[in-house]
Amino acid sequence: MFGLAPPWLLSSRGTPVADALVLSHPEQVERLRLACPEAAPTAVLAGDPCFDRMLAARPHRERFRRALGVRPGQRLVLLNSTWNSESLFGDGDEVPGDGWCGGDVIAALLDRVADEFPVDEYRFAAVLHPNIWHGHGPGQIRAWLDRARRGGLALIDPLTGWRQALLAADAVIGDHGSVTFYAAALGTPVLLGAVPLHALDPDAPVSAFMREAPRLDPDASLAAQIDEVIGSHRRLPGPAEFTTSVPGESAVRLRKLFYSMMGAPEPARPASLEPLPLPGYEAGTVTVPLRVLTRVLGPGEVAVSRWAGLRPAAGPDHGGELHVAVHEDTREVDRLELADVIFRDGEPDDPRFGSPSLWTAEVLRRHRGCSLAAYVTGPSECVVRVRGEEPLRMVAVPDAGTEDVSGADPAAYASALHAWLASDSREPVTSRARLARAVADGLVLRTGDRLHRVRVGPLTPPGPVS
């Protein structure tokens, strides 16, 4: 029983090392009484301040999602691992009959993520226990996860950002660590990728949770399992019940305890916890080459599905056309010469690039096989240049009755325009005529089950006639 055994709690003289042992639930008090009766008198039931901070921050979930670059309609899947060899990030061998996937599951998952999940429909993030960072070193962790990060994975700070990421998540793939248990306590769908039951006390709440929660099947479609665990989610009562028996009360109880131990009166002001801060913005820019599957659904309407994997689950055999879109900052620089669309993101007045107009012209001169260049200037707009044409601005149109223009990645707008201009239609219409129609009527692109309307127009609107 981790943390409750006599070697943790008693001095060499057999007396408690702590004056007060803070516990969050009566179940823990009873376990302490059985495991180390000498320390039982020091037990104080004071709740869980970490969980209380998350409960208080729930109203800010959408802000946390936007901070992680999660767009409307995207699902955020969080990969979480505790620190030992039997964790999701561990390298242990499978234990027969234990139901544990084993063998560095996260590495295998990340390869499948790139192949099975289109980047405009799913966002992935990883929370790794601080001991993983300490044991291997930050440089090694980032090196191991380098391609996944270039494919859009957000690597969350293990000390300051994991609670916000947990609140933002639509699903969690985890193990027997506390973060996975917190996710279940919050009501988030959980899929277990590592289940080392042999390492857990069979009477502990986490062990019961491990036996009841759905498990990852390494031989089945990961995308289908994520959709299933979200669509058929049934909240398990155990984690919420046993995380704390006094939700929202930890600040009051802890301050009362601390001041009583000091023998001082409590302040008159209410006891409170520090609110969870809003993390910095992480756009999740994908710099690995993207395979883009497109289908023209009708006049000015294009379905776009972009994949970061080497062997994406979708392809031309599923219908539609395939082209390659590459970020200018890609490490695979040889792929720039094969790209149909080259894009980048940055401030429109960044002096290093002159202007979006100059940058797009330079890219098309340098890469003769590229048909379209796109400079993403903000979360809902970009400047594009079709070879042989003047630059254009593409801007998301707000949904009716709202001011929200957030939607698909503007680099996907560029791929939709490229597909519309290159489509092999029965209409005897030239590419230039198609471009004129896009400028007149705009474009509609579909990512997953969401429609995004985009206005296409000249870079500088014409001024009044004098």
Side-chain angles (χ1 to χ4, degrees):
M1 291 177 287
F2 186 83
L4 296 183
W8 290 86
L9 302 178
L10 303 180
S11 70
S12 58
R13 299 187 303 275
T15 57
V17 297
D19 295 311
L21 185 63
V22 175
L23 302 174
S24 65
H25 193 279
E27 183 272 340
Q28 297 173 5
V29 178
E30 178 62 17
R31 288 164 62 79
L32 173 65
R33 187 185 66 80
L34 295 174
C36 186
E38 299 89 344
T42 68
V44 178
L45 190 64
D48 185 329
C50 178
F51 191 59
D52 282 356
R53 292 178 76 197
M54 287 190 278
L55 292 177
R58 270 180 155 173
H60 304 308
R61 180 174 188 264
E62 289 303 318
R63 295 182 186 177
F64 298 149
R65 288 172 67 83
R66 287 192 289 267
L68 283 169
V70 180
R71 296 178 174 273
Q74 270 189 317
R75 284 175 166 173
L76 174 63
V77 181
L78 189 68
L79 307 177
N80 165 63
S81 179
T82 190
W83 60 274
N84 59 38
S85 63
E86 298 173 340
S87 67
L88 198 71
F89 201 72
D91 58 359
D93 296 325
E94 184 174 354
V95 177
D98 219 12
W100 178 43
C101 293
D104 199 1
V105 184
I106 277 188
L109 285 178
L110 290 176
D111 287 340
R112 295 178 61 182
V113 162
D115 291 341
E116 294 190 38
F117 294 89
V119 298
D120 295 302
E121 298 171 45
Y122 293 87
R123 178 92 161 96
F124 280 79
V127 171
L128 305 180
H129 193 284
N131 284 359
I132 296 177
W133 290 86
H134 177 75
H136 298 290
Q140 181 64 75
I141 296 298
R142 294 190 176 95
W144 278 334
L145 300 181
D146 175 68
R147 194 182 194 283
R149 293 173 67 214
R150 290 186 287 119
L153 176 77
L155 191 53
I156 306 300
D157 186 290
L159 299 179
T160 62
W162 67 270
R163 300 171 187 84
Q164 297 90 323
L166 201 57
L167 288 166
D170 293 294
V172 172
I173 301 177
D175 53 24
H176 57 297
S178 59
V179 174
T180 305
F181 198 75
Y182 275 134
L186 290 168
T188 304
V190 169
L191 191 61
L192 297 177
V195 191
L197 291 174
H198 69 284
L200 304 174
D201 181 343
D203 296 325
V206 68
S207 183
F209 167 63
M210 292 281 112
R211 292 192 297 269
E212 296 173 359
R215 299 184 182 184
L216 175 71
D217 181 352
D219 299 319
S221 164
L222 181 57
Q225 291 181 78
I226 291 295
D227 291 345
E228 171 68 18
V229 78
I230 293 175
S232 64
H233 175 54
R234 177 180 61 87
R235 183 170 183 171
L236 298 174
E241 176 186 351
F242 289 108
T243 294
T244 174
S245 61
V246 286
E249 298 183 23
S250 63
V252 172
R253 289 173 175 253
L254 286 171
R255 192 178 73 173
K256 181 179 180 179
L257 170 66
F258 297 154
Y259 276 85
S260 68
M261 293 177 70
M262 292 187 295
E266 284 190 73
R269 61 183 180 276
S272 60
L273 297 171
E274 186 75 17
L276 292 181
L278 183 64
Y281 178 65
E282 183 169 347
T285 301
V286 178
T287 61
V288 298
L290 292 169
R291 289 166 170 79
V292 186
L293 178 67
T294 61
R295 296 192 314 277
V296 175
L297 304 176
E301 183 174 346
V302 183
V304 176
S305 185
R306 302 187 301 162
W307 306 80
L310 300 175
R311 297 170 298 279
D317 56 318
H318 289 67
E321 299 296 328
L322 192 67
H323 71 260
V324 177
V326 184
H327 195 286
E328 188 186 36
D329 289 341
T330 185
R331 184 175 299 177
E332 294 87 342
V333 292
D334 57 311
R335 300 301 299 277
L336 289 168
E337 298 308 317
L338 303 175
D340 302 288
V341 174
I342 295 176
F343 63 97
R344 76 163 304 109
D345 52 290
E347 296 296 328
D349 57 353
D350 190 329
R352 296 173 298 174
F353 303 109
S355 69
S357 177
L358 288 174
W359 179 86
T360 54
E362 176 186 311
V363 165
L364 292 177
R365 283 196 305 269
R366 180 179 300 140
H367 305 286
R368 304 304 299 176
C370 178
S371 300
L372 185 150
Y375 189 109
V376 176
T377 55
S380 60
E381 63 181 272
C382 63
V383 173
V384 301
R385 187 190 292 267
V386 178
R387 186 171 292 282
E389 303 292 343
E390 293 299 311
L392 298 167
R393 175 173 281 113
M394 302 185 73
V395 182
V397 178
D399 293 333
T402 75
E403 297 181 359
D404 186 8
V405 296
S406 59
D409 179 355
Y413 307 169
S415 281
L417 180 59
H418 170 78
W420 169 242
L421 299 179
S423 62
D424 184 13
S425 172
R426 295 179 180 178
E427 297 179 83
V429 178
T430 64
S431 174
R432 180 160 290 180
R434 285 178 173 275
L435 184 59
R437 181 181 293 183
V439 171
D441 301 334
L443 283 178
V444 176
L445 66 144
R446 180 186 293 273
T447 58
D449 59 0
R450 289 185 64 89
L451 290 178
H452 314 272
R453 302 184 184 278
V454 180
R455 184 170 59 249
V456 185
L459 194 57
T460 304
V465 178
S466 57

